Amino acid sequence: MKFLERELIGLDVEVQSAEEAIRVAGSLLVSGGAADASYVEAMVQAYRDKGPYFVLAPHIALPHAKAEDGVHEASVAFVRLKQPVVFGHQTNDPVDLVFALGSASNADHIALLRRLTLLLNDPNHVQCFREAGSPEDIESIILRRNEA
């Protein structure tokens, strides 16, 4: 499982649209070897078909698709957007924190969501994601959470 490792983190990324944000976050899964490019397109298609159902909290999106769409390893990538973008969610827009989930099974999906939810339930951690100066800062948030 790859969970917010350095190579899966992009900070202050400039995008113009929700689809571009999904593609940038998904491309980190691809470059990290956790998914195929087809998975990124499946995430975009899920957004087009179902709307912003994965904008689960104010300013936070968790795009994902089905495991059979090209996931090799359970993983989470993170992109902090330089400027927030609108995903079309009635109450949680605009989004500036994008966590792309790649699950190889339903069990992986639940495990990743649980781990991410525990991390993001703490407003201090969310603020740290907003203020992190480097991927190493993000890693320290995760280490502190794992030690707690």
Side-chain angles (χ1 to χ4, degrees), residues 55 57-61 81 83-87 92-98:
V55 181
H59 317 292
I60 299 172
L81 303 177
Q83 297 295 326
V85 296
V86 172
F87 274 68
N92 293 333
D93 268 343
V95 169
D96 63 339
L97 304 178
V98 181

Side-chain angles (χ1 to χ4, degrees), residues 1 3-4 7 21 24 34 39 47-48 55 59 65 67 74 80 88 120 128 138 145 147:
M1 181 179 293
F3 188 82
L4 300 173
E7 70 272 8
V24 169
Y39 185 72
Y47 170 65
R48 288 178 182 164
V55 181
H59 317 292
R80 181 178 69 206
L120 296 176
C128 287
I138 303 285
R145 170 67 186 125
E147 292 169 357

Side-chain angles (χ1 to χ4, degrees), residues 4 12 22 56 98 118 131 146:
L4 300 173
D12 299 327
I22 294 167
L56 300 178
V98 181
L118 288 171
E131 296 173 353
N146 289 341

